[in-house]
């Protein structure tokens, strides 16, 4: 199995983290996330969006989108609940991650971490992404501060893996995580679970 990967991408990290928990080995091929010139050649037949993560299964079938890849490997494991409502809650948080966390926190982190700052002409976009990022962190903090250990049910699910991917490195985008004690405790809970690997692994 081959993962088209970027070491700096939280989306790729989510996949690597789940596979590590499940003990599934995967070969990696690193793609540049700044110079995208070879994307059509490498991913043209594999991922309509030409992005990473993209995975190619042992039988040659490709799968794109971090959430879809998580679901493919997570189904039938402890990371996807059996109860229908809880499964839908996992999806709820995974969609939240893609619509609230990823376009705001992940993009701001990418700008600072990879590009060294806000791209020219993007200052007002940056400010609205920071505001939206904080609203997202506020919402997660409020949810967790009501006594929850995990986002769905009593154990770690794909929801936690998806949400952890970018929120635990939000500080690299300048977000002040000290404001969020329940979120930080949850980060600690995720990172101390047996089988955990860091984003740098
Ligand atoms: N919704 C996609 C987003 C994937 C994505 O944005 N990947 C980034 C790296 S984190 C990428 O490939 N960026 C380079 C590009 O846009 O071509 C997912 O969750 O997999």
């Amino acid at each position: 199995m081959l993962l088209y990967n970027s070491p700096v991408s939280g989306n790729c990290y989510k996949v690597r983290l789940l596979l590590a928990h499940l003990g599934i080995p995967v070969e990696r091929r690193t793609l540049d996330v700044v110079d995208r010139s070879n994307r059509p050649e490498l991913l043209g037949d594999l991922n309509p969006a030409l992005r990473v993560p993209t995975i190619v299964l042992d039988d040659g079938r490709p799968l794109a989108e971090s959430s879809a890849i998580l679901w493919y490997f997570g189904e039938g494991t402890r990371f996807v609940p059996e109860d229908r409502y809880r499964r839908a809650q996992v999806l709820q948080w995974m969609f939240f991650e893609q619509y609230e966390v990823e376009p705001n926190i992940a993009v701001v982190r990418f700008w600072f971490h990879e590009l060294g700052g806000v791209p020219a002409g993007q200052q007002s976009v940056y400010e609205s992404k920071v505001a939206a990022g904080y609203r997202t962190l506020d919402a997660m903090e409020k949810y967790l501060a009501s006594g929850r250990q995990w986002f769905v049910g009593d154990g770690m699910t794909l929801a936690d893996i998806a949400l952890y991917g970018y929120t635990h490195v939000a500080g690299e985008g300048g977000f002040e995580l000290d404001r969020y004690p329940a979120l930080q405790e949850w980060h600690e809970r995720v990172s101390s679970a047996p089988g955990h690997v860091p984003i740098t692994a």
Side-chain angles (χ1 to χ4, degrees):
M1 207 161 54
L2 176 64
L3 175 67
Y4 288 90
N5 179 57
S6 157
V8 298
S9 158
N11 286 317
C12 295
Y13 172 52
K14 295 170 203 169
V15 173
R16 297 197 306 271
L17 179 55
L18 177 67
L19 293 179
H21 273 297
L22 295 175
I24 299 175
V26 65
E27 192 186 326
R28 299 179 197 178
R29 179 154 182 187
T30 299
L31 297 196
D32 197 316
V33 285
V34 179
D35 174 8
R36 301 160 177 164
S37 54
N38 59 359
R39 293 293 179 96
E41 177 196 329
L42 293 174
L43 298 181
D45 294 331
L46 306 177
N47 181 343
L50 305 179
R51 291 176 191 266
V52 291
T54 300
I55 204 156
V56 181
L57 305 176
D58 284 337
D59 62 11
R61 289 178 300 170
L63 194 58
E65 295 292 332
S66 59
S67 300
I69 299 170
L70 290 183
W71 199 263
Y72 179 82
F73 288 102
E75 212 174 3
T77 75
R78 66 195 165 92
F79 294 100
V80 175
E82 284 184 15
D83 175 76
R84 177 182 178 184
Y85 178 69
R86 289 207 165 154
R87 271 204 311 280
Q89 283 185 305
V90 170
L91 288 172
Q92 173 199 306
W93 284 110
M94 292 171 83
F95 289 125
F96 172 93
E97 192 277 335
Q98 288 281 286
Y99 201 74
E100 309 290 347
V101 176
E102 219 269 352
N104 298 308
I105 295 169
V107 170
V108 170
R109 168 184 176 260
F110 177 72
W111 284 350
F112 279 91
H113 200 243
E114 292 307 302
L115 305 184
V118 180
Q122 296 291 308
Q123 188 60 30
S124 65
V125 176
Y126 162 71
E127 283 162 20
S128 69
K129 285 186 181 299
V130 169
Y134 274 118
R135 283 198 300 276
T136 301
L137 296 172
D138 290 347
M140 291 174 68
E141 175 73 14
K142 184 175 169 209
Y143 186 78
L144 289 167
S146 62
R148 290 184 172 89
Q149 305 275 298
W150 305 100
F151 274 86
V152 180
D154 300 326
M156 193 194 296
T157 67
L158 296 186
D160 300 284
I161 290 180
L163 291 164
Y164 183 81
Y166 281 110
T167 62
H168 84 291
V169 288
E172 294 174 3
F175 291 95
E176 292 171 16
L177 288 177
D178 289 354
R179 299 188 198 176
Y180 300 104
L183 188 76
Q184 285 188 302
E185 278 173 32
W186 168 76
H187 284 158
E188 184 59 36
R189 206 168 292 127
V190 172
S191 66
S192 50
H196 182 81
V197 289
I199 194 168
T200 47

